[in-house]
Amino acid sequence: MSITIAELARRCGVSTATVSLVLNRKDQGRVSPAQRQRILRLADRHGYRSNVAAKGLVEGRTYRVAVVVEGALAHHALIGQFSFYERLGLLADQLRDRGYLMEICQVDPARPAAAIARDLARASAEGFILLAWPGPAATRLLTALRQQRLPAIACGSTLATATLSWVDVDRRASVRTAVRHLVGLGHRELAFLDLSVRPSLFAPVRTRAFLDAVREQLGVDGRPWVFASATAALADAVATGERALRALPRARAFLLADNLHGELFLHLLALAGRPPGRACHVLGFGDTVLAQRCRPALAHYSLQNEAQVRFCLATLFQARTGAVAAPPPQHELLPPLFIAGGTCPAAPPG
Amino acid sequence: MSITIAELARRCGVSTATVSLVLNRKDQGRVSPAQRQRILRLADRHGYRSNVAAKGLVEGRTYRVAVVVEGALAHHALIGQFSFYERLGLLADQLRDRGYLMEICQVDPARPAAAIARDLARASAEGFILLAWPGPAATRLLTALRQQRLPAIACGSTLATATLSWVDVDRRASVRTAVRHLVGLGHRELAFLDLSVRPSLFAPVRTRAFLDAVREQLGVDGRPWVFASATAALADAVATGERALRALPRARAFLLADNLHGELFLHLLALAGRPPGRACHVLGFGDTVLAQRCRPALAHYSLQNEAQVRFCLATLFQARTGAVAAPPPQHELLPPLFIAGGTCPAAPPG
DNA sequence: TTGTAAGCGTTATCAT
DNA sequence: ATGATAACGCTTACAA
């Protein structure tokens, strides 16, 4: 245990109130600059750290924020959602910066939302962040938490309602922008590859967005350009990629529904004599970490993990005092963000 | 905030001391059974939860355990260490069961150990768990933490010393047992594939163990049977796998240094007309989650995540009271554990 | 400008 | 068998 306020007060010959005020920057002209300096210097010398328990006790707060995870923590690595961990790491750091502690709650999404919410309430957290939940499940759980008057927000889910808090990247707009990007580079034939691990939450959304964008921007039916693997097996991803290359021998523009198997597909392209970035253009979507593992790095539209996390915390902490408050519901659909890479140049202006 | 002890006492017409004793099961015949029941029932009805802050304050404890991660949380997904997250999830749950809170500290391993330890001390945790650190770095940090009298243990690192606390699976013994396993099945030619992402901490250890075991059990030089990819690229893993199959056309026994690219290699085997489990035997090592994603499931020797986590907590909490204590240093090298799968039968007895 | 003191919920020591 | 009460470290209303 570090030095206490009482001890600091004793050594400075002042009262605990004075020390507390100075340490919390609440001494608006109430404490003489001299005292102020002495107290701060002594605190620093002894490495003073406020006792969270005491502080929390007197303030009636827990300084905890729970991050609610669907199923096991390791599950998201298996389904290739690496950005899940990036967001978790960002949350851990940024919450610590605010003096909060991150609590990880792994819950069984099959249970009724009300039961989950009741259990979560026992975590005595001041706020809840639902990380990467499917939209419907997120909606149910957020609603149940709201009934218990617990501030909560979904991070990485697009909900159909404006009465709950959530943030996500706009997948539809990203696909649409990516199509415009490739069309702007002169391509008139695009291949769309959905090689992500099944069952994917977003596969139908992405495919639909692609077909709409193709219809709108090229005036044709894009269905012959869509190639989706039917299973989660790597072998199936390989087969699907090869099938696409055989089916569209003249295609020089490729859109990946997810960066997950990007490295694999770039490899297939190279084998097929269409080296990415030189003989053809490839655009991905998803985790930047995955994209940058590719050679060349995969140009893609981003998940914007940092922006998502920032929005979550800003919403949860929007009360003036830095305390978690029950905020009015807020949501945001982040616009497409291009991340450069060797597989495709930026879109031409206009 | 749930109901308090004081309120409970008021409603039962007893003192706070009585309630506290009953609630903490410290009323050895001191409280009458009738009172006891009344108190417990009322507490249950109001969903009483003890206030951690108050408890921690009076006990002078923080009920926090820090899990120290090398670099970013997401890093381990990129290098294919999925079991990292499995262990993290196990830690989160088991610590919560003990009334503890898990704090994730992402630290820059390039900084001096003493500086890291000083920063970690500010986390005011009662104990530290170094998750999946390379041995030398773990040794330095554990030593620095010990100098600050902070209980700490490394999970998933093999250290050269018995004066620090650590737990790991015995990689050497696992490889050796796997070789014996395949030899016991009648194989006289083994291929050893190291396709893991570079730079791997354990590649030299595993290769060395393989060569030793082959020398010992077959009396030959195993070097022509070792195939290692030189880079982290997927393309290199593919090339290395294919090279091994070409170089050893009659080999029917394969040992994978890591389950990471297991699915990929099984695919290559099938393509080469040697379907795993039927035409040949394949044994892996590492994450069970990865192995079970393969078709057929990859038989392998386990990392024993649960056993590792159990050992960590048992060591950290070994004081009688369930409090974290500064324990005498303890370590354990977990023995090989076979996990069945379709790619290889269990070893014949004897 | 500074000090005093009440109080947060809990545990544990002493009385009764 | 049970109750009073001090103590833990901190914040803050109020007094000086």
Side-chain angles (χ1 to χ4, degrees):
Chain A
M1 189 141 53
S2 86
I3 194 171
T4 68
I5 279 194
E7 181 61 17
L8 237 32
R10 202 183 58 73
R11 300 210 197 178
C12 286
V14 300
S15 75
T16 59
T18 305
V19 177
S20 175
L21 288 174
V22 168
L23 257 22
N24 289 297
R25 297 188 188 76
K26 287 184 181 164
D27 58 324
Q28 317 285 17
R30 301 179 50 178
V31 177
S32 72
Q35 293 278 36
R36 194 166 199 295
Q37 283 315 307
R38 291 206 311 138
I39 292 169
L40 286 176
R41 216 182 12 249
L42 201 69
D44 186 60
R45 266 210 298 142
H46 288 83
Y48 170 80
R49 281 171 291 134
S50 91
N51 181 317
V52 220
K55 190 178 167 69
L57 179 59
V58 67
E59 291 177 337
R61 321 219 285 105
T62 61
Y63 288 105
R64 295 185 179 190
V65 166
V67 174
V68 187
V69 175
E70 207 199 345
L73 204 53
H75 171 68
H76 299 265
L78 270 189
I79 60 173
Q81 276 195 21
F82 292 179
S83 66
F84 174 90
Y85 303 105
E86 202 174 327
R87 277 181 278 182
L88 197 63
L90 289 168
L91 282 168
D93 281 348
Q94 295 188 20
L95 283 171
R96 196 203 323 284
D97 288 348
R98 292 174 186 254
Y100 276 77
L101 209 66
M102 183 181 78
E103 177 155 15
I104 297 177
C105 299
Q106 305 174 81
V107 311
D108 176 1
R111 298 177 56 214
I116 299 176
R118 216 171 316 121
D119 279 2
L120 286 178
R122 310 194 68 241
S124 60
E126 297 179 33
F128 294 83
I129 298 173
L130 275 57
L131 195 52
W133 281 61
T139 303
R140 286 192 298 270
L141 186 47
L142 285 177
T143 306
L145 285 169
R146 190 177 53 185
Q147 275 166 11
Q148 310 222 17
R149 329 201 129 272
L150 296 172
I153 183 171
C155 178
S157 316
T158 302
L159 306 196
T161 170
T163 62
L164 295 169
S165 292
W166 51 272
V167 60
D168 203 358
V169 63
D170 191 336
R171 289 183 170 73
R172 280 192 60 81
S174 295
V175 171
R176 182 194 166 125
T177 303
V179 168
R180 177 171 312 143
H181 187 148
L182 292 172
V183 169
L185 288 170
H187 295 285
R188 292 296 171 268
E189 186 183 35
L190 316 177
F192 182 79
L193 286 112
D194 189 350
L195 311 178
S196 53
V197 171
R198 296 312 167 94
S200 166
L201 303 173
F202 306 114
V205 173
R206 290 181 294 220
T207 304
R208 182 83 231 151
F210 174 75
L211 294 176
D212 289 350
V214 165
R215 163 71 61 198
E216 176 190 302
Q217 292 171 44
L218 290 174
V220 301
D221 180 357
R223 275 177 294 183
W225 297 347
V226 173
F227 302 86
S229 51
T231 73
L234 185 69
D236 197 17
V238 174
T240 305
E242 290 174 337
R243 183 157 50 86
L245 295 184
R246 269 198 315 274
L248 304 176
R250 294 184 321 279
R252 290 297 180 269
F254 300 89
L255 214 51
L256 300 181
D258 195 295
N259 291 353
L260 178 58
H261 286 308
E263 194 181 6
L264 173 69
F265 185 66
L266 295 189
H267 180 57
L268 293 179
L269 275 174
L271 286 182
R274 302 188 230 178
R278 311 222 307 281
C280 63
H281 292 153
V282 187
L283 272 182
F285 175 79
D287 296 345
T288 299
V289 280
L290 277 175
Q292 286 174 348
R293 180 159 75 180
C294 299
R295 288 291 166 271
L298 178 60
H300 64 286
Y301 285 84
S302 165
L303 279 178
Q304 305 201 57
N305 292 319
E306 267 214 67
Q308 288 196 37
V309 166
R310 254 202 318 276
F311 183 86
C312 282
L313 295 191
T315 302
L316 231 39
F317 288 95
Q318 74 188 167
R320 55 256 147 251
T321 55
V324 171
Q330 292 195 13
H331 64 273
E332 179 151 316
L333 252 189
L334 298 167
L337 177 68
F338 179 67
I339 307 289
T343 61
C344 186
Chain B
M1 189 141 54
S2 84
I3 195 172
T4 68
I5 280 192
E7 181 61 17
L8 236 32
R10 200 184 60 73
R11 298 210 197 178
C12 286
V14 299
S15 76
T16 60
T18 306
V19 176
S20 176
L21 287 175
V22 168
L23 256 23
N24 289 295
R25 296 186 188 77
K26 288 182 182 167
D27 58 325
Q28 315 288 18
R30 299 180 49 178
V31 178
S32 72
Q35 292 279 34
R36 195 166 197 294
Q37 283 316 309
R38 291 207 310 138
I39 293 170
L40 286 177
R41 216 181 12 249
L42 201 69
D44 185 61
R45 265 210 300 142
H46 288 83
Y48 170 80
R49 280 171 293 134
S50 92
N51 182 318
V52 219
K55 189 179 168 69
L57 177 59
V58 67
E59 291 177 338
R61 322 218 282 104
T62 61
Y63 288 104
R64 295 185 180 193
V65 166
V67 174
V68 188
V69 174
E70 206 197 347
L73 204 53
H75 171 69
H76 299 265
L78 269 190
I79 61 174
Q81 276 196 20
F82 293 179
S83 66
F84 174 90
Y85 302 105
E86 202 176 328
R87 278 180 279 183
L88 198 63
L90 289 168
L91 282 168
D93 281 347
Q94 294 188 19
L95 283 170
R96 196 204 322 282
D97 288 348
R98 293 175 186 255
Y100 274 77
L101 212 65
M102 183 181 78
E103 177 154 16
I104 296 177
C105 298
Q106 304 175 85
V107 311
D108 176 1
R111 298 178 56 215
I116 298 176
R118 216 172 315 119
D119 280 3
L120 285 178
R122 310 195 66 243
S124 60
E126 297 179 33
F128 294 83
I129 298 172
L130 276 57
L131 196 52
W133 281 61
T139 303
R140 286 193 298 271
L141 186 47
L142 285 178
T143 306
L145 286 169
R146 191 176 51 183
Q147 276 166 11
Q148 308 223 17
R149 328 201 129 272
L150 296 171
I153 183 170
C155 178
S157 316
T158 303
L159 306 196
T161 171
T163 63
L164 296 168
S165 292
W166 51 272
V167 60
D168 203 0
V169 63
D170 191 336
R171 289 183 171 72
R172 280 192 61 80
S174 295
V175 171
R176 181 195 168 127
T177 303
V179 168
R180 176 171 311 142
H181 186 148
L182 292 172
V183 169
L185 289 170
H187 296 287
R188 291 296 172 267
E189 186 182 35
L190 316 177
F192 182 79
L193 286 113
D194 190 349
L195 310 177
S196 52
V197 173
R198 295 312 166 94
S200 165
L201 304 172
F202 305 113
V205 173
R206 290 181 294 219
T207 305
R208 183 82 231 151
F210 174 75
L211 294 176
D212 289 350
V214 165
R215 164 70 63 197
E216 177 189 303
Q217 293 172 43
L218 290 173
V220 302
D221 180 356
R223 275 177 295 183
W225 297 346
V226 172
F227 302 85
S229 50
T231 73
L234 185 69
D236 196 16
V238 174
T240 305
E242 288 173 338
R243 183 158 49 85
L245 295 183
R246 269 197 316 274
L248 303 177
R250 293 183 323 278
R252 292 296 180 269
F254 301 89
L255 214 52
L256 300 180
D258 196 294
N259 292 353
L260 179 57
H261 286 309
E263 194 181 6
L264 173 67
F265 184 67
L266 295 189
H267 180 56
L268 294 180
L269 275 175
L271 286 183
R274 301 189 233 179
R278 309 221 308 278
C280 63
H281 292 154
V282 187
L283 272 182
F285 176 79
D287 296 344
T288 299
V289 279
L290 278 175
Q292 287 176 346
R293 180 158 74 181
C294 300
R295 289 290 168 272
L298 178 60
H300 64 286
Y301 284 84
S302 164
L303 280 177
Q304 306 200 55
N305 291 319
E306 267 215 65
Q308 289 196 37
V309 166
R310 254 203 318 274
F311 184 85
C312 282
L313 295 191
T315 302
L316 233 40
F317 288 94
Q318 73 188 169
R320 54 252 147 257
T321 55
V324 171
Q330 293 196 13
H331 63 273
E332 179 152 315
L333 253 189
L334 299 168
L337 178 68
F338 178 67
I339 307 289
T343 61
C344 186

